[in-house]
Amino acid sequence: MDIKEFDWKDVSQDITDAFFEQLKDNVSEYLEEAIIPELEKQKEAFVQELKQEAAD
């Protein structure tokens, strides 16, 4: 195959697609392992604070 015939647009699109797929996977994993548990902790603290204020 002559290098002039090589479809660089397809190659660059494949690389871009792979990059964004990996990025999506990494972000999803980070959300599941770090962000969501922290938000759950904050939510629970907020609920407890509301319950305490309601009891006072």
Side-chain angles (χ1 to χ4, degrees), residues 11-22:
V11 171
S12 66
Q13 186 63 51
D14 290 346
I15 292 169
T16 302
D17 291 347
F19 171 76
F20 280 106
E21 188 65 31
Q22 184 63 47

Side-chain angles (χ1 to χ4, degrees), residues 9-38:
K9 185 176 181 182
D10 284 347
V11 171
S12 66
Q13 186 63 51
D14 290 346
I15 292 169
T16 302
D17 291 347
F19 171 76
F20 280 106
E21 188 65 31
Q22 184 63 47
L23 183 63
K24 183 184 78 170
D25 292 346
N26 290 349
V27 169
S28 295
E29 185 177 327
Y30 180 69
L31 282 172
E32 290 173 8
E33 293 179 3
I35 301 297
I36 292 173
E38 183 60 33

Side-chain angles (χ1 to χ4, degrees), residues 35-53:
I35 301 297
I36 292 173
E38 183 60 33
L39 289 174
E40 290 289 336
K41 289 179 196 173
Q42 290 179 12
K43 180 185 83 172
E44 187 59 36
F46 181 70
V47 168
Q48 291 301 322
E49 185 179 323
L50 289 176
K51 286 180 180 178
Q52 183 63 35
E53 287 179 11

